[in-house]
Amino acid sequence: MKKYVHAKQANADRNAQTLRGQYELAQAIKEYDSTRRQELHDGFYNTKQWKTISAYVKSRDGYADAINGRLWDEGDLIVDHIIPRRLLPKDKHLDTSNLWLLTRAQHNHKTSVEKKLSENVLKHASREWWGNVLREKLFYIY
């Protein structure tokens, strides 16, 4: 299984280096966002406040992901709520202490784990706990 996952990732990395691969990835992301990520459509992530806070967090963290500390380009990182935004009071949506940087793969894995956890667990999951969960998963992928 590890060999298959590694080969699949290597193939995706190769495809992402071509213009056609980049276009197909962008289309797949756009399709995913429009059909499965309804939180994008409430307008929050398009507000000037969010864009300002997002740029601040990227700068604060030096464009390094929170899991491995590896440096990335601006477009390769996602500013993520450690405790999901849907569980926070409205006045805490822009709290920078609850925001960190993840790569798309890390963010997607975190989202899949979140779907399996209760709201009570999610409300109390710390940055360190999430770091351990995501590092463990990524260890098995690579």
Side-chain angles (χ1 to χ4, degrees):
M1 184 64 174
K2 288 181 191 177
K3 186 177 178 181
Y4 167 77
V5 170
H6 181 55
K8 186 175 177 183
Q9 182 63 43
N11 188 40
D13 291 343
R14 261 193 316 277
N15 285 342
Q17 293 175 357
T18 67
L19 288 177
R20 182 180 181 131
Q22 291 170 3
Y23 174 78
E24 288 174 354
L25 178 61
Q27 291 301 104
I29 291 167
K30 187 176 180 180
E31 172 70 17
Y32 173 80
D33 287 348
S34 68
T35 59
R36 301 182 82 200
R37 299 230 14 237
Q38 292 303 315
E39 70 272 11
L40 292 177
H41 301 290
D42 69 0
F44 175 80
Y45 294 107
N46 293 320
T47 64
K48 186 174 181 178
Q49 287 177 312
W50 173 253
K51 290 178 182 180
T52 301
I53 294 292
S54 178
Y56 165 76
V57 171
K58 289 177 181 181
S59 177
R60 176 195 72 187
D61 294 354
Y63 295 91
D65 73 77
I67 306 306
N68 302 318
R70 190 170 154 200
L71 298 177
W72 298 86
D73 289 332
E74 182 175 359
D76 296 329
L77 293 168
I78 296 171
V79 178
D80 178 63
H81 289 86
I82 298 167
I83 298 171
R85 185 172 64 99
R86 63 184 160 77
L87 301 177
L88 297 170
K90 197 167 188 111
D91 64 331
K92 298 288 186 187
H93 287 192
L94 298 172
D95 180 8
T96 58
S97 65
N98 186 45
L99 298 173
W100 63 349
L101 295 177
L102 298 177
T103 64
R104 186 169 305 282
Q106 292 164 350
H107 182 266
N108 289 344
H109 179 60
K110 180 178 178 277
T111 301
S112 70
V113 172
E114 283 176 348
K115 290 177 182 177
K116 298 173 186 171
L117 300 174
S118 71
E119 287 188 4
N120 189 44
V121 171
L122 288 173
K123 285 180 184 179
H124 297 94
S126 69
R127 173 188 221 65
E128 292 76 27
W129 184 84
W130 275 116
N132 290 335
V133 168
L134 295 174
R135 266 190 293 279
E136 181 179 315
K137 169 64 176 176
L138 294 174
F139 174 75
Y140 290 116
I141 290 175
Y142 301 108

